[in-house]
Amino acid sequence: MGYTNYWNQHKDFSKKEWNTLVNHSNKMINFFRKELDIETLSSMSDSSIYINGIKELGHEDFVFTRSKRNILGYEDLEAYEKEGAFNFCKTLEKPYDSLIWNILLKAYSIAPAKISISNGHGKKHGLQKRNIKELAKLGNLWYTNSIK
């Protein structure tokens, strides 16, 4: 199976919330490129954030949308309405995973009523320790006032 990040989106993000998240995401991507020398494929728009690693450092695409997606044919309506739209991205804990988890944390900090998050380590809504040097740097960056 492999390591995976999970999120349930309960509601759409407002334009202001989304712009804050996209701004943060762009800063984090630049941090990865400049400070950690980790390249990613990425794109941002008014409706979605797309990220993956490159070649052997990539795995599944991370696609995060501003709007709660529509219910899919195989989903239970009651669960969809109660728990939100279920999404996931399997990263196998490759370097781009720290970027994805950080973006999910930021989304949760911006609008905790609109998203719930967890990962393969069973962590929910909080920063976790990882065994890679990048996360220590990311953690410092996450808590500075320069990234909001």
Side-chain angles (χ1 to χ4, degrees), residues 74-93:
Y74 59 84
E75 290 179 297
D76 178 68
L77 178 61
E78 185 178 338
Y80 175 84
E81 290 176 348
K82 182 179 178 184
E83 299 169 19
F86 175 75
N87 300 278
F88 67 93
C89 178
K90 190 179 301 181
T91 63
L92 301 182
E93 289 189 284

Side-chain angles (χ1 to χ4, degrees), residues 9-143:
Q9 190 166 348
H10 310 289
K11 298 178 183 177
D12 296 352
F13 286 86
S14 71
K15 187 173 182 175
K16 181 180 178 183
E17 292 165 340
W18 186 254
N19 289 340
T20 300
L21 183 60
V22 167
N23 182 44
H24 171 80
S25 299
N26 280 320
K27 288 178 182 180
M28 293 308 304
I29 289 167
N30 287 333
F31 173 77
F32 261 69
R33 288 181 181 148
K34 292 177 184 173
E35 300 297 324
L36 303 176
D37 197 30
I38 297 172
E39 285 294 324
T40 59
L41 298 170
S42 61
S43 67
M44 310 284 165
S45 73
D46 290 340
S47 61
S48 66
I49 296 170
Y50 164 86
I51 298 171
N52 201 339
I54 296 176
K55 296 183 182 177
E56 68 277 353
L57 295 179
H59 198 64
E60 288 185 355
D61 296 338
F62 172 72
V63 181
F64 190 86
T65 58
R66 178 179 170 197
S67 299
K68 178 181 175 182
R69 68 165 173 73
N70 292 330
I71 189 168
L72 301 175
Y74 59 84
E75 290 179 297
D76 178 68
L77 178 61
E78 185 178 338
Y80 175 84
E81 290 176 348
K82 182 179 178 184
E83 299 169 19
F86 175 75
N87 300 278
F88 67 93
C89 178
K90 190 179 301 181
T91 63
L92 301 182
E93 289 189 284
K94 292 184 178 185
Y96 81 111
D97 177 73
S98 290
L99 177 60
I100 290 169
W101 184 246
N102 193 279
I103 291 169
L104 289 172
L105 283 169
K106 186 64 173 181
Y108 178 74
S109 76
I110 292 168
K114 295 182 179 179
I115 184 173
S116 53
I117 62 175
S118 62
N119 61 37
H121 292 302
K123 301 292 181 184
K124 295 183 179 184
H125 309 310
L127 189 61
Q128 63 181 355
K129 290 186 176 180
R130 302 248 180 104
N131 60 356
I132 56 175
K133 186 177 178 181
E134 290 86 352
L135 189 59
K137 291 180 183 178
L138 263 177
N140 290 337
L141 188 62
W142 169 258
Y143 288 108

